[in-house]
Each structure stands twice: as structure tokens, then as C-alpha cells.
Amino acid sequence: MRAIRFALALAIVLAATAPGADFNLVYLGPESSAALQGLRLGIEESNVQGEFLGVRLTLAASSGAPISGDAIAVFADQRGQIADLAGSAGGRAVFNLSDDSDSLRAACLANALHVIPSARMKADAVSQWKAREPNASVTAAAWHGGAVKFAARDLNKRYKERFGPEMDSLAWAGWFAARAVGDTLMREPGSDAVALLRLLKEADGLDGQKGDPHSFRASGQLRQPLVLIGPDGELLGEAPVRGAPGGLDSLGASPCE
């Protein structure tokens, strides 16, 4: 009981002494996208944490350009347009939530952060699985609504209770991007857009509720585990497959390193 009272008192002190900071974020893409729903959940969860630190995130949704001038970061579900968005974002982080193009990663865009796995990453995950199960019919993805390990069960439950459908890869990408930004700004509330991008690119312990710490490669691609899914949508396992040399770097190329 004493420990609980101390924790509450400490939270009150932190809330009273922490400088207030409001950050505007912008989402570009369809209103119906699961990526936007994931973003909203991630921002809601970040703002619960931010109540004790005087930090608040606000998200504006738009179907297209121009990008709001006061947004500290941009989240995009716009396949085929990420390079143009990155070029017009003025050095701000542009989170790619849906485009799996390998050529986009090979462009080595300085401010593009690719949360969704690349086509090459997914192909490598499938190849690893088929090396062990040659006749398997399998696909790879960033997320599965039936995942339970590494607190995935709780995340899936929160998303389903909030929105109805199961969390999929797009929804996870939005949620992760929001949480990565939120966690970074909670630690460094004095950051501007340039500092936020640098901190995200330097981070090596981002949490995606998938076990291994996530981080961004020089290409902007998020280094992360993937799930393997059977022909009926069932969760079969994870990649990197046990024993695959290289760990997370066995999934996808690193063209900019």
C-alpha cells in the first residue's frame, strides 16, 4: 500500500513539474483504412501515458496534400506516393504504413520510415519456412489477429474491443508508428521534427509486441519479426525461423548500408 501511495505521489509531482508539450500529427490516406484505426489506438494509449508528463498528441486525418505545416510527423497509407510525400514533407518523418515496394527502400529516402515489411522481407520469411516445410502453402505478414505471445494477445484484445474487426498488418503498422512517436516524445518532449526523426532512426529498442526489439535500417525499413500464415488464415509460426542465420537481418535486404 505504501508503494502505491508513493507511486501516485510521484506521478502527481511529475505531472505538476513537467513542461507541457502538444504535438500535431497528420495521417494521409483513406478514412476507412485499418492503418488509421491502429494510429488512433496508438495515439490514445500514448496520451494516457502523456497525462502524467504534460505531453499530448493530436492527429488530423486528410485524404491528400498539402501536409499541414505544424505537423511534427506524417503517417501515410498511400501506396505509390511515399517518395513524393517524403520529398514534400520538409524533413519530417514520413511513416509508410502500407507500401511494400523493394525499390522504395532502395531509394534510401532520408526521412521515410517503412513500418510495413517489404516484399523481400516477406519472401525471405516464406523461404525460411519452406526450407523446413517444403510443401507448405504459406504467406508472411507483419501481424496476425490471433497472435498471443509477447503481449500480442492484449493488443489484439484492445484493438478488437475498440474497433470490432481483428487487428491486421495495416492496423498494427499504424499502432506501432503512433507508439514509436509517442514513446520518443515522452522521453524527449523538447524535440522538433528534425530531432524526432533522428531519435527514431537511432532507436534500437522499439517495442512492437513481437518479442525482438525493433529498429530502423539505413533504408528506413523497420527491422522486425514477421508472422507466417496458413492457407485458411491460421497462424503457423514466426520468422526468422529458428536456426536461420542472421536473426532479424535474415529478412530483407539492406541496400543503403
Side-chain angles (χ1 to χ4, degrees):
M1 194 66 180
R2 180 179 299 173
I4 294 174
R5 287 197 298 268
F6 175 78
L8 288 172
L10 179 59
I12 292 171
V13 170
L14 288 173
T17 59
D22 294 324
F23 296 98
N24 294 321
L25 310 167
V26 64
Y27 162 79
L28 302 177
E31 287 276 351
S32 59
S33 174
L36 177 55
Q37 293 179 334
L39 265 172
R40 286 173 170 155
L41 180 64
I43 287 172
E44 289 167 7
E45 294 178 354
S46 292
N47 282 335
V48 170
Q49 177 186 1
E51 288 180 6
F52 298 104
L53 301 170
V55 176
R56 179 166 180 79
L57 310 180
T58 301
L59 179 69
S62 173
S63 60
I67 299 171
S68 173
D70 64 351
I72 196 171
V74 180
F75 307 94
D77 176 10
Q78 294 195 329
R79 293 173 177 86
Q81 300 182 48
I82 300 301
D84 289 341
L85 287 174
S88 64
R92 288 170 288 188
V94 174
F95 287 88
N96 168 25
L97 306 179
S98 59
D99 193 331
D100 70 354
S101 165
D102 290 318
S103 61
L104 181 59
R105 278 72 175 170
C108 304
L109 303 171
N111 61 324
L113 300 177
H114 310 290
V115 179
I116 206 72
S118 67
R120 169 70 181 274
M121 289 176 70
K122 291 182 285 187
D124 287 344
V126 169
S127 294
Q128 289 180 12
W129 188 262
K130 286 194 169 186
R132 191 175 69 178
E133 303 284 346
N135 297 320
S137 177
V138 61
T139 58
W143 191 257
H144 189 278
V148 297
K149 298 194 297 185
F150 310 116
R153 186 201 304 271
D154 294 334
L155 175 55
N156 276 325
K157 180 180 179 181
R158 296 196 306 273
Y159 182 84
K160 189 172 179 61
E161 288 177 348
R162 177 70 171 80
F163 296 107
E166 289 189 340
M167 177 173 264
D168 61 11
S169 292
L170 274 179
W172 176 85
W175 173 85
F176 173 85
R179 294 297 286 140
V181 168
D183 287 346
T184 301
L185 293 175
M186 300 303 161
R187 291 192 300 270
E188 299 288 345
S191 299
D192 60 10
V194 172
L196 174 62
L197 176 61
R198 175 180 55 79
L199 290 167
L200 287 164
K201 293 173 76 169
E202 291 175 352
D204 60 4
L206 299 170
D207 184 7
Q209 309 283 271
K210 296 199 283 186
D212 297 279
H214 300 11
S215 59
F216 288 102
R217 294 177 174 143
S219 64
Q221 175 62 58
L222 183 66
R223 185 184 285 108
Q224 59 181 292
L226 302 184
V227 293
L228 293 153
I229 303 171
D232 297 319
E234 71 274 24
L235 178 62
L236 297 179
E238 299 85 31
V241 173
R242 187 184 299 275
L248 292 181
D249 285 325
S250 68
L251 303 177
S254 299
C256 310
E257 295 174 344

